[in-house]
Amino acid sequence: MSDGPSVFGVEISDGAMEDLRTIQEYIAAELQSPASAWRTVTGILDAADRLSAMPFRNRAIAKTSRGHAVRSARYGKYRLLYLVEEEKSHRICSAVRRFGC
């Protein structure tokens, strides 16, 4: 029996960080809204951080070749794809993709 709720660590993958940079650059430059770019990226990172408390609340949408469930969370028009790796000190790895408009 555990002594309380588990808290998972959230690790943002290099690929997800590159996705975030691309999102930020697109919104800031193409849409000419640096403030909106900042809010969007900050919101996505906050959504990823909130996964630490309840990572299993989102449904599994696929499995990796190693048998890990790929889960999906949303922030606005963006999807966070992540794995919960319990055997690695409760780590969550994330990636970010944009939904179609």
Coordinates of all heavy atoms in Angstrom, one line a residue:
M1 N 0.8 -1.2 0.0 CA 0.0 0.0 0.0 C 0.9 1.2 0.0 O 1.9 1.3 0.7 CB -0.9 0.0 1.2 CG -2.0 1.0 1.2 SD -3.1 0.9 2.6 CE -4.4 0.0 1.9
S2 N 0.5 2.2 -0.8 CA 1.4 3.4 -0.9 C 1.0 4.4 0.2 O 0.0 4.4 0.8 CB 1.2 4.1 -2.2 OG -0.1 4.7 -2.4
D3 N 2.0 5.3 0.5 CA 1.8 6.3 1.5 C 1.1 7.6 1.0 O 0.9 8.5 1.7 CB 3.1 6.7 2.1 CG 3.8 5.6 2.9 OD1 3.0 4.8 3.5 OD2 5.0 5.5 2.8
G4 N 0.7 7.6 -0.2 CA 0.0 8.8 -0.8 C 0.0 8.7 -2.3 O 0.5 7.8 -2.9
P5 N -0.5 9.7 -2.9 CA -0.6 9.7 -4.4 C 0.8 9.8 -5.0 O 1.7 10.5 -4.5 CB -1.5 10.9 -4.7 CG -1.4 11.8 -3.5 CD -1.1 10.9 -2.3
S6 N 1.0 9.1 -6.1 CA 2.3 9.2 -6.8 C 2.3 10.5 -7.6 O 1.3 10.9 -8.2 CB 2.5 8.1 -7.8 OG 2.7 6.9 -7.1
V7 N 3.4 11.1 -7.7 CA 3.6 12.3 -8.5 C 4.7 11.9 -9.6 O 5.7 11.4 -9.2 CB 4.1 13.5 -7.7 CG1 4.4 14.7 -8.7 CG2 3.0 13.9 -6.7
F8 N 4.3 12.1 -10.8 CA 5.2 11.7 -11.9 C 6.0 12.9 -12.3 O 5.5 14.0 -12.4 CB 4.3 11.2 -13.1 CG 3.7 9.9 -12.9 CD1 2.6 9.7 -12.0 CD2 4.1 8.8 -13.6 CE1 2.1 8.5 -11.7 CE2 3.6 7.5 -13.4 CZ 2.5 7.4 -12.4
G9 N 7.2 12.6 -12.7 CA 8.1 13.7 -13.3 C 7.7 13.8 -14.8 O 7.4 12.8 -15.4
V10 N 7.8 15.0 -15.3 CA 7.5 15.2 -16.7 C 8.8 15.6 -17.4 O 9.4 16.5 -17.0 CB 6.4 16.4 -16.9 CG1 6.2 16.7 -18.3 CG2 5.1 16.0 -16.2
E11 N 9.1 14.9 -18.4 CA 10.2 15.1 -19.3 C 9.8 15.5 -20.7 O 9.1 14.7 -21.3 CB 11.1 13.9 -19.3 CG 12.3 14.0 -20.2 CD 13.1 12.7 -20.3 OE1 13.5 12.2 -19.2 OE2 13.3 12.3 -21.4
I12 N 10.1 16.7 -21.1 CA 9.8 17.1 -22.4 C 10.9 16.7 -23.4 O 12.0 17.0 -23.2 CB 9.6 18.7 -22.5 CG1 8.7 19.2 -21.4 CG2 9.2 19.1 -23.9 CD1 7.2 18.7 -21.5
S13 N 10.5 15.9 -24.4 CA 11.5 15.4 -25.3 C 12.1 16.5 -26.2 O 11.5 17.5 -26.3 CB 10.9 14.3 -26.2 OG 9.9 14.9 -27.1
D14 N 13.3 16.2 -26.7 CA 13.9 17.1 -27.7 C 13.0 17.5 -28.8 O 12.9 18.6 -29.3 CB 15.2 16.6 -28.2 CG 16.3 16.5 -27.1 OD1 16.1 17.2 -26.0 OD2 17.3 15.8 -27.3
G15 N 12.3 16.4 -29.4 CA 11.4 16.7 -30.5 C 10.2 17.6 -30.1 O 9.8 18.4 -30.9
A16 N 9.7 17.4 -28.9 CA 8.6 18.2 -28.4 C 9.1 19.7 -28.2 O 8.4 20.6 -28.6 CB 8.0 17.7 -27.1
M17 N 10.3 19.8 -27.7 CA 10.9 21.2 -27.6 C 11.0 21.9 -29.0 O 10.7 23.1 -29.1 CB 12.2 21.2 -26.8 CG 12.1 20.8 -25.4 SD 10.9 21.9 -24.5 CE 11.8 23.5 -24.5
E18 N 11.4 21.1 -29.9 CA 11.5 21.7 -31.3 C 10.2 22.0 -31.8 O 10.0 23.1 -32.5 CB 12.2 20.7 -32.2 CG 12.5 21.2 -33.6 CD 13.3 22.4 -33.7 OE1 14.3 22.6 -32.8 OE2 13.1 23.3 -34.5
D19 N 9.2 21.2 -31.6 CA 7.8 21.5 -31.9 C 7.3 22.8 -31.3 O 6.7 23.7 -32.0 CB 6.8 20.4 -31.5 CG 7.0 19.1 -32.3 OD1 7.6 19.1 -33.4 OD2 6.5 18.1 -31.9
L20 N 7.7 23.0 -30.0 CA 7.3 24.2 -29.3 C 8.0 25.4 -29.9 O 7.3 26.5 -30.1 CB 7.6 24.1 -27.8 CG 6.7 23.2 -27.0 CD1 7.2 23.0 -25.6 CD2 5.3 23.7 -27.0
R21 N 9.2 25.3 -30.3 CA 9.9 26.4 -30.9 C 9.3 26.8 -32.3 O 9.1 28.0 -32.6 CB 11.4 26.1 -31.1 CG 12.3 26.3 -29.9 CD 13.8 26.1 -30.2 NE 14.2 24.8 -30.5 CZ 14.4 23.9 -29.5 NH1 14.3 24.2 -28.2 NH2 14.8 22.6 -29.8
T22 N 8.9 25.8 -33.0 CA 8.3 26.0 -34.3 C 6.9 26.7 -34.1 O 6.6 27.6 -34.9 CB 8.1 24.6 -35.1 OG1 9.4 24.1 -35.3 CG2 7.4 24.8 -36.4
I23 N 6.1 26.2 -33.2 CA 4.8 26.8 -32.9 C 5.0 28.3 -32.5 O 4.3 29.2 -33.0 CB 4.1 26.0 -31.7 CG1 3.7 24.7 -32.3 CG2 2.9 26.8 -31.2 CD1 3.3 23.7 -31.2
Q24 N 6.0 28.5 -31.6 CA 6.2 29.9 -31.1 C 6.6 30.8 -32.3 O 6.1 31.9 -32.4 CB 7.3 29.9 -30.0 CG 7.5 31.2 -29.3 CD 8.5 32.1 -30.1 OE1 9.4 31.6 -30.8 NE2 8.3 33.4 -29.9
E25 N 7.6 30.3 -33.1 CA 8.0 31.1 -34.2 C 6.9 31.4 -35.2 O 6.8 32.5 -35.7 CB 9.2 30.4 -34.9 CG 10.5 30.4 -34.1 CD 11.6 29.5 -34.6 OE1 11.3 28.9 -35.7 OE2 12.6 29.4 -34.0
Y26 N 6.1 30.4 -35.5 CA 5.0 30.6 -36.4 C 4.0 31.7 -35.9 O 3.7 32.6 -36.7 CB 4.3 29.3 -36.7 CG 3.1 29.5 -37.6 CD1 3.2 29.6 -38.9 CD2 1.8 29.5 -37.0 CE1 2.1 29.8 -39.7 CE2 0.7 29.7 -37.8 CZ 0.8 29.8 -39.1 OH -0.3 30.0 -39.9
I27 N 3.6 31.5 -34.7 CA 2.6 32.5 -34.2 C 3.2 33.9 -34.1 O 2.5 34.8 -34.5 CB 2.1 32.0 -32.8 CG1 1.3 30.7 -33.0 CG2 1.2 33.1 -32.2 CD1 0.9 30.0 -31.7
A28 N 4.4 34.0 -33.6 CA 5.0 35.3 -33.5 C 5.3 36.0 -34.8 O 5.0 37.2 -35.0 CB 6.4 35.2 -32.7
A29 N 5.8 35.2 -35.8 CA 6.2 35.8 -37.0 C 5.1 35.9 -38.1 O 4.7 36.9 -38.6 CB 7.4 35.1 -37.6
E30 N 4.5 34.7 -38.4 CA 3.5 34.6 -39.4 C 2.2 35.2 -39.0 O 1.5 35.9 -39.8 CB 3.3 33.1 -39.8 CG 4.5 32.5 -40.4 CD 4.9 33.1 -41.7 OE1 4.1 33.5 -42.5 OE2 6.2 33.2 -41.9
L31 N 1.8 35.0 -37.8 CA 0.5 35.6 -37.3 C 0.8 37.0 -36.6 O -0.2 37.6 -36.2 CB -0.2 34.7 -36.3 CG -0.5 33.3 -36.9 CD1 -1.2 32.4 -35.8 CD2 -1.3 33.4 -38.2
Q32 N 2.0 37.4 -36.5 CA 2.4 38.7 -35.9 C 1.8 38.9 -34.6 O 1.2 39.9 -34.3 CB 2.1 39.8 -36.9 CG 2.8 39.7 -38.2 CD 2.5 40.8 -39.2 OE1 1.6 41.6 -38.9 NE2 3.1 40.8 -40.3
S33 N 2.0 37.9 -33.7 CA 1.4 38.0 -32.4 C 2.4 37.4 -31.3 O 2.1 36.2 -30.9 CB 0.1 37.3 -32.3 OG -0.5 37.5 -31.0
P34 N 3.5 38.1 -31.0 CA 4.4 37.5 -30.0 C 3.8 37.2 -28.7 O 4.1 36.2 -28.0 CB 5.5 38.6 -29.9 CG 5.4 39.4 -31.2 CD 3.9 39.3 -31.6
A35 N 2.8 38.0 -28.2 CA 2.2 37.8 -26.9 C 1.4 36.5 -27.0 O 1.4 35.7 -26.1 CB 1.3 39.0 -26.6
S36 N 0.7 36.3 -28.1 CA -0.1 35.1 -28.3 C 0.8 33.8 -28.3 O 0.4 32.8 -27.8 CB -1.0 35.2 -29.5 OG -1.8 34.0 -29.7
A37 N 1.9 34.0 -29.0 CA 2.9 32.9 -29.1 C 3.3 32.5 -27.7 O 3.4 31.3 -27.4 CB 4.1 33.3 -30.0
W38 N 3.7 33.5 -26.9 CA 4.1 33.2 -25.5 C 3.0 32.5 -24.7 O 3.3 31.5 -24.0 CB 4.5 34.5 -24.8 CG 4.9 34.4 -23.4 CD1 4.1 34.7 -22.3 CD2 6.1 33.8 -22.9 NE1 4.8 34.4 -21.2 CE2 6.0 33.8 -21.5 CE3 7.2 33.2 -23.5 CZ2 7.0 33.3 -20.6 CZ3 8.2 32.7 -22.6 CH2 8.1 32.8 -21.2
R39 N 1.8 33.0 -24.8 CA 0.7 32.4 -24.1 C 0.4 31.0 -24.5 O 0.2 30.1 -23.7 CB -0.6 33.2 -24.2 CG -0.7 34.4 -23.4 CD -2.1 35.0 -23.4 NE -2.6 35.3 -24.8 CZ -2.4 36.4 -25.5 NH1 -1.6 37.4 -24.9 NH2 -2.8 36.6 -26.7
T40 N 0.5 30.7 -25.8 CA 0.3 29.4 -26.3 C 1.3 28.4 -25.8 O 1.0 27.3 -25.3 CB 0.2 29.4 -27.9 OG1 -0.8 30.2 -28.3 CG2 0.1 28.0 -28.4
V41 N 2.6 28.7 -26.0 CA 3.7 27.8 -25.5 C 3.6 27.6 -24.0 O 3.8 26.5 -23.5 CB 5.0 28.3 -26.0 CG1 6.2 27.6 -25.4 CG2 5.1 28.3 -27.5
T42 N 3.4 28.7 -23.3 CA 3.3 28.6 -21.8 C 2.1 27.7 -21.4 O 2.2 26.8 -20.6 CB 3.1 30.0 -21.2 OG1 4.3 30.7 -21.5 CG2 3.0 29.9 -19.7
G43 N 1.0 27.8 -22.1 CA -0.2 27.0 -21.9 C 0.1 25.5 -22.1 O -0.3 24.6 -21.4
I44 N 0.8 25.2 -23.2 CA 1.1 23.9 -23.6 C 2.0 23.3 -22.5 O 1.8 22.1 -22.1 CB 1.8 23.8 -25.0 CG1 0.7 24.1 -26.1 CG2 2.4 22.4 -25.2 CD1 1.3 24.3 -27.4
L45 N 3.0 24.0 -22.1 CA 4.0 23.5 -21.0 C 3.2 23.3 -19.7 O 3.5 22.4 -19.0 CB 5.1 24.5 -20.9 CG 6.1 24.5 -22.0 CD1 7.1 25.6 -21.9 CD2 6.8 23.2 -22.1
D46 N 2.3 24.2 -19.4 CA 1.5 24.0 -18.2 C 0.6 22.8 -18.3 O 0.5 22.0 -17.3 CB 0.6 25.3 -17.9 CG 1.4 26.5 -17.5 OD1 2.6 26.4 -17.1 OD2 0.8 27.6 -17.5
A47 N 0.1 22.5 -19.4 CA -0.8 21.3 -19.6 C 0.1 20.1 -19.5 O -0.3 19.1 -18.8 CB -1.4 21.3 -21.0
A48 N 1.3 20.1 -20.0 CA 2.2 19.0 -19.8 C 2.6 18.8 -18.3 O 2.6 17.7 -17.8 CB 3.5 19.2 -20.6
D49 N 2.8 19.9 -17.6 CA 3.2 19.8 -16.2 C 2.0 19.2 -15.4 O 2.2 18.5 -14.5 CB 3.6 21.2 -15.7 CG 4.2 21.1 -14.3 OD1 5.1 20.3 -14.1 OD2 3.8 21.9 -13.5
R50 N 0.8 19.5 -15.8 CA -0.4 19.0 -15.0 C -0.5 17.5 -15.2 O -1.2 16.9 -14.3 CB -1.7 19.7 -15.5 CG -1.8 21.1 -14.9 CD -3.2 21.7 -15.2 NE -3.5 21.8 -16.6 CZ -3.2 22.8 -17.4 NH1 -2.6 23.9 -16.9 NH2 -3.6 22.8 -18.7
L51 N 0.1 16.9 -16.2 CA 0.0 15.5 -16.3 C 0.7 14.8 -15.2 O 0.4 13.6 -14.9 CB 0.7 15.1 -17.6 CG 0.0 15.5 -18.9 CD1 0.9 15.2 -20.1 CD2 -1.4 14.8 -19.0
S52 N 1.6 15.5 -14.4 CA 2.3 14.8 -13.3 C 1.4 14.3 -12.2 O 1.7 13.3 -11.6 CB 3.3 15.8 -12.7 OG 2.7 16.9 -12.1
A53 N 0.2 14.9 -12.0 CA -0.7 14.5 -11.0 C -1.6 13.3 -11.4 O -1.8 12.5 -10.6 CB -1.5 15.7 -10.5
M54 N -2.0 13.3 -12.6 CA -3.0 12.3 -13.1 C -2.7 11.9 -14.5 O -3.4 12.2 -15.4 CB -4.4 12.8 -13.0 CG -4.9 13.1 -11.6 SD -6.5 13.7 -11.4 CE -7.5 12.6 -12.4
P55 N -1.5 11.2 -14.7 CA -1.2 10.9 -16.1 C -2.0 9.9 -16.8 O -2.1 9.8 -18.0 CB 0.3 10.4 -16.0 CG 0.3 9.9 -14.6 CD -0.6 10.8 -13.8
F56 N -2.8 9.1 -16.1 CA -3.6 8.0 -16.7 C -5.0 8.5 -17.0 O -5.8 7.7 -17.4 CB -3.6 6.8 -15.8 CG -2.3 6.2 -15.5 CD1 -1.6 6.4 -14.4 CD2 -1.7 5.5 -16.6 CE1 -0.3 5.9 -14.2 CE2 -0.4 4.9 -16.4 CZ 0.2 5.1 -15.2
R57 N -5.3 9.8 -16.8 CA -6.7 10.3 -17.0 C -7.0 10.4 -18.5 O -8.2 10.4 -18.9 CB -6.9 11.7 -16.4 CG -6.1 12.8 -17.1 CD -6.4 14.1 -16.4 NE -5.4 15.1 -16.9 CZ -4.7 15.9 -16.2 NH1 -4.9 15.9 -14.9 NH2 -3.9 16.7 -16.7
N58 N -6.0 10.4 -19.4 CA -6.2 10.5 -20.8 C -6.1 9.1 -21.4 O -5.3 8.3 -21.0 CB -5.2 11.4 -21.5 CG -5.4 12.8 -21.0 OD1 -6.5 13.4 -21.1 ND2 -4.4 13.4 -20.3
R59 N -6.9 8.8 -22.4 CA -7.0 7.5 -23.0 C -5.8 7.2 -23.8 O -5.1 8.1 -24.3 CB -8.3 7.3 -23.8 CG -8.3 8.1 -25.1 CD -9.6 7.9 -25.8 NE -9.6 8.7 -27.0 CZ -9.2 8.3 -28.2 NH1 -8.8 7.0 -28.3 NH2 -9.2 9.0 -29.3
A60 N -5.5 5.9 -23.9 CA -4.4 5.4 -24.7 C -4.9 5.4 -26.2 O -6.0 4.9 -26.4 CB -3.9 4.0 -24.3
I61 N -4.1 5.9 -27.1 CA -4.5 5.9 -28.5 C -3.7 5.0 -29.4 O -4.0 4.7 -30.5 CB -4.4 7.3 -29.1 CG1 -3.0 7.9 -29.0 CG2 -5.4 8.2 -28.4 CD1 -2.8 9.2 -29.8
A62 N -2.6 4.4 -28.8 CA -1.7 3.5 -29.6 C -0.7 2.9 -28.6 O -0.7 3.2 -27.4 CB -0.9 4.3 -30.6
K63 N 0.1 2.0 -29.1 CA 1.1 1.3 -28.2 C 2.4 1.4 -29.0 O 2.5 1.4 -30.2 CB 0.8 -0.1 -28.0 CG -0.3 -0.3 -26.9 CD 0.0 -1.6 -26.2 CE -1.1 -1.8 -25.1 NZ -0.7 -1.3 -23.8
T64 N 3.5 1.6 -28.2 CA 4.9 1.6 -28.8 C 5.3 0.2 -29.0 O 4.7 -0.8 -28.6 CB 5.9 2.3 -27.9 OG1 6.1 1.5 -26.7 CG2 5.4 3.7 -27.5
S65 N 6.4 0.0 -29.7 CA 7.0 -1.4 -29.9 C 7.4 -2.0 -28.6 O 7.5 -3.2 -28.6 CB 8.1 -1.3 -30.9 OG 9.2 -0.5 -30.4
R66 N 7.6 -1.2 -27.6 CA 8.0 -1.8 -26.3 C 6.7 -2.0 -25.4 O 6.9 -2.3 -24.2 CB 9.0 -0.9 -25.6 CG 10.3 -0.8 -26.3 CD 11.3 0.0 -25.5 NE 12.6 0.0 -26.2 CZ 13.6 0.7 -25.8 NH1 13.5 1.5 -24.8 NH2 14.7 0.6 -26.5
G67 N 5.6 -1.8 -25.9 CA 4.3 -2.0 -25.2 C 3.8 -0.9 -24.3 O 2.9 -1.0 -23.6
H68 N 4.5 0.3 -24.4 CA 4.0 1.5 -23.7 C 2.8 2.1 -24.3 O 2.7 2.2 -25.6 CB 5.1 2.6 -23.5 CG 6.2 2.2 -22.7 ND1 7.4 1.9 -23.1 CD2 6.3 2.1 -21.3 CE1 8.2 1.6 -22.1 NE2 7.6 1.7 -21.0
A69 N 1.8 2.5 -23.6 CA 0.6 3.1 -24.1 C 1.0 4.6 -24.5 O 1.6 5.3 -23.7 CB -0.5 3.1 -23.1
V70 N 0.6 5.0 -25.7 CA 0.7 6.4 -26.1 C -0.6 7.0 -25.7 O -1.6 6.6 -26.2 CB 1.0 6.5 -27.6 CG1 1.1 8.0 -28.0 CG2 2.3 5.8 -28.0
R71 N -0.5 8.1 -24.9 CA -1.7 8.8 -24.5 C -1.8 10.2 -25.1 O -0.7 10.7 -25.6 CB -1.7 8.9 -23.0 CG -1.8 7.5 -22.3 CD -1.8 7.6 -20.8 NE -1.9 6.2 -20.3 CZ -3.0 5.5 -20.1 NH1 -4.1 6.0 -20.4 NH2 -2.9 4.3 -19.6
S72 N -2.9 10.7 -25.1 CA -3.1 12.0 -25.8 C -3.9 13.0 -24.9 O -4.9 12.6 -24.4 CB -3.9 11.8 -27.1 OG -4.2 13.0 -27.7
A73 N -3.3 14.1 -24.7 CA -4.0 15.2 -24.0 C -4.1 16.4 -24.9 O -3.4 16.5 -25.9 CB -3.2 15.6 -22.7
R74 N -5.0 17.3 -24.6 CA -5.2 18.5 -25.5 C -5.0 19.8 -24.8 O -5.3 19.9 -23.6 CB -6.6 18.5 -26.1 CG -6.8 17.4 -27.1 CD -8.1 17.4 -27.8 NE -8.3 18.7 -28.5 CZ -9.3 19.0 -29.3 NH1 -10.2 18.1 -29.4 NH2 -9.3 20.1 -30.0
Y75 N -4.5 20.7 -25.5 CA -4.4 22.1 -25.1 C -4.9 22.9 -26.3 O -4.1 23.1 -27.3 CB -3.1 22.6 -24.6 CG -3.0 24.1 -24.3 CD1 -3.5 24.5 -23.1 CD2 -2.6 25.0 -25.2 CE1 -3.6 25.9 -22.8 CE2 -2.6 26.3 -24.9 CZ -3.1 26.8 -23.7 OH -3.2 28.1 -23.5
G76 N -6.1 23.5 -26.3 CA -6.6 24.2 -27.4 C -6.6 23.4 -28.7 O -7.1 22.3 -28.7
K77 N -5.9 23.9 -29.7 CA -5.8 23.1 -31.0 C -4.6 22.2 -31.0 O -4.3 21.6 -32.1 CB -5.6 24.1 -32.2 CG -6.8 25.0 -32.4 CD -6.6 25.9 -33.5 CE -7.8 26.8 -33.8 NZ -7.6 27.7 -34.9
Y78 N -3.9 22.0 -29.9 CA -2.7 21.2 -29.9 C -2.9 19.9 -29.1 O -3.7 19.9 -28.1 CB -1.6 22.0 -29.2 CG -1.3 23.2 -30.0 CD1 -1.9 24.4 -29.8 CD2 -0.4 23.2 -31.1 CE1 -1.7 25.6 -30.6 CE2 -0.1 24.3 -31.9 CZ -0.8 25.5 -31.6 OH -0.5 26.6 -32.4
R79 N -2.2 18.9 -29.5 CA -2.3 17.6 -28.9 C -0.9 17.3 -28.3 O 0.1 17.4 -28.9 CB -2.6 16.5 -29.9 CG -2.7 15.1 -29.3 CD -2.9 14.1 -30.4 NE -4.2 14.3 -31.1 CZ -4.9 13.4 -31.7 NH1 -4.4 12.2 -31.8 NH2 -6.0 13.7 -32.4
L80 N -0.9 16.9 -27.0 CA 0.3 16.4 -26.4 C 0.2 14.9 -26.4 O -0.7 14.3 -25.9 CB 0.3 16.9 -24.9 CG 0.6 18.4 -24.7 CD1 -0.6 19.2 -25.0 CD2 1.1 18.6 -23.3
L81 N 1.2 14.3 -27.0 CA 1.3 12.8 -27.0 C 2.4 12.4 -26.0 O 3.4 13.0 -26.0 CB 1.7 12.3 -28.4 CG 0.8 12.7 -29.6 CD1 1.4 12.3 -30.9 CD2 -0.6 12.2 -29.4
Y82 N 2.0 11.5 -25.2 CA 3.0 11.2 -24.1 C 2.9 9.7 -23.7 O 2.0 9.0 -24.0 CB 2.7 12.1 -22.9 CG 1.4 11.9 -22.2 CD1 1.4 11.1 -21.0 CD2 0.3 12.5 -22.6 CE1 0.1 10.9 -20.4 CE2 -0.9 12.3 -22.0 CZ -1.0 11.5 -20.8 OH -2.2 11.3 -20.2
L83 N 4.0 9.3 -23.1 CA 4.1 7.9 -22.5 C 4.3 8.1 -21.0 O 4.9 9.0 -20.5 CB 5.4 7.2 -23.0 CG 5.6 7.2 -24.5 CD1 7.0 6.6 -24.8 CD2 4.5 6.4 -25.2
V84 N 3.7 7.1 -20.3 CA 4.0 7.0 -18.8 C 4.9 5.9 -18.6 O 4.5 4.7 -18.9 CB 2.6 6.9 -18.1 CG1 2.9 6.8 -16.6 CG2 1.7 8.0 -18.4
E85 N 6.1 6.1 -18.2 CA 7.1 5.1 -18.0 C 7.3 4.9 -16.5 O 8.1 5.5 -15.9 CB 8.4 5.4 -18.7 CG 8.2 5.5 -20.2 CD 9.5 5.9 -20.8 OE1 10.4 6.5 -20.2 OE2 9.7 5.6 -22.0
E86 N 6.4 4.0 -15.9 CA 6.5 3.8 -14.4 C 7.8 3.2 -14.0 O 8.3 3.5 -12.9 CB 5.3 2.9 -14.0 CG 4.0 3.6 -14.2 CD 2.9 2.7 -13.7 OE1 2.6 2.8 -12.5 OE2 2.3 2.0 -14.5
E87 N 8.4 2.4 -14.8 CA 9.7 1.8 -14.4 C 10.9 2.7 -14.4 O 11.9 2.4 -13.9 CB 10.0 0.6 -15.3 CG 10.3 0.9 -16.7 CD 9.1 1.1 -17.6 OE1 8.0 1.1 -17.2 OE2 9.4 1.3 -18.8
K88 N 10.7 3.9 -14.9 CA 11.8 4.9 -14.9 C 11.4 6.1 -14.0 O 11.3 7.2 -14.4 CB 12.0 5.4 -16.3 CG 12.6 4.4 -17.2 CD 13.0 4.9 -18.5 CE 13.7 3.8 -19.3 NZ 14.1 4.3 -20.6
S89 N 11.1 5.8 -12.7 CA 10.8 6.8 -11.7 C 9.7 7.7 -12.1 O 9.7 8.9 -11.9 CB 12.1 7.7 -11.4 OG 13.1 6.9 -11.0
H90 N 8.6 7.1 -12.6 CA 7.4 7.8 -12.9 C 7.6 9.0 -13.9 O 7.3 10.1 -13.6 CB 6.7 8.3 -11.6 CG 6.4 7.2 -10.6 ND1 6.0 6.0 -11.0 CD2 6.5 7.2 -9.3 CE1 5.8 5.3 -9.9 NE2 6.2 6.0 -8.9
R91 N 8.2 8.6 -15.0 CA 8.5 9.7 -16.0 C 7.5 9.7 -17.1 O 7.0 8.7 -17.6 CB 9.9 9.4 -16.6 CG 10.4 10.4 -17.6 CD 11.7 10.1 -18.1 NE 11.7 8.9 -18.9 CZ 12.7 8.5 -19.7 NH1 13.8 9.2 -19.6 NH2 12.6 7.5 -20.4
I92 N 7.2 11.0 -17.5 CA 6.2 11.2 -18.6 C 7.1 11.9 -19.7 O 7.7 12.9 -19.5 CB 5.1 12.1 -18.2 CG1 4.2 11.5 -17.1 CG2 4.2 12.4 -19.4 CD1 3.2 12.4 -16.5
C93 N 7.1 11.3 -20.9 CA 7.7 11.9 -22.0 C 6.6 12.5 -23.0 O 5.6 11.9 -23.2 CB 8.5 10.9 -22.8 SG 9.8 10.1 -21.8
S94 N 6.9 13.7 -23.4 CA 5.8 14.4 -24.2 C 6.3 14.8 -25.6 O 7.5 15.0 -25.8 CB 5.4 15.7 -23.5 OG 4.8 15.4 -22.3
A95 N 5.3 14.9 -26.5 CA 5.5 15.5 -27.8 C 4.3 16.3 -28.1 O 3.3 16.1 -27.5 CB 5.7 14.4 -28.9
V96 N 4.4 17.3 -28.9 CA 3.4 18.3 -29.2 C 3.1 18.3 -30.7 O 4.0 18.4 -31.5 CB 3.7 19.7 -28.7 CG1 2.6 20.6 -29.0 CG2 4.1 19.7 -27.3
R97 N 1.8 18.2 -31.1 CA 1.4 18.2 -32.5 C 0.1 19.1 -32.6 O -0.7 19.1 -31.7 CB 1.1 16.8 -33.0 CG 2.3 15.9 -33.1 CD 3.3 16.3 -34.2 NE 4.4 15.4 -34.3 CZ 5.6 15.7 -34.0 NH1 5.9 16.9 -33.5 NH2 6.6 14.8 -34.1
R98 N 0.0 19.8 -33.7 CA -1.2 20.6 -33.9 C -2.3 19.8 -34.5 O -2.0 19.1 -35.5 CB -0.8 21.8 -34.7 CG -1.9 22.8 -34.8 CD -1.4 24.1 -35.4 NE -2.4 25.2 -35.1 CZ -3.3 25.5 -36.0 NH1 -3.4 24.9 -37.2 NH2 -4.2 26.5 -35.8
F99 N -3.5 20.0 -34.0 CA -4.7 19.4 -34.7 C -4.9 20.2 -36.0 O -4.5 21.3 -36.1 CB -5.9 19.6 -33.8 CG -6.1 18.6 -32.7 CD1 -5.9 19.0 -31.4 CD2 -6.4 17.3 -33.0 CE1 -6.1 18.1 -30.4 CE2 -6.5 16.4 -32.0 CZ -6.4 16.8 -30.7
G100 N -5.6 19.5 -36.9 CA -6.0 20.2 -38.1 C -7.0 21.4 -37.8 O -7.7 21.3 -36.8
C101 N -7.0 22.4 -38.6 CA -7.8 23.6 -38.3 C -9.3 23.4 -38.5 O -9.8 22.8 -39.3 CB -7.3 24.8 -39.1 SG -5.7 25.3 -38.7

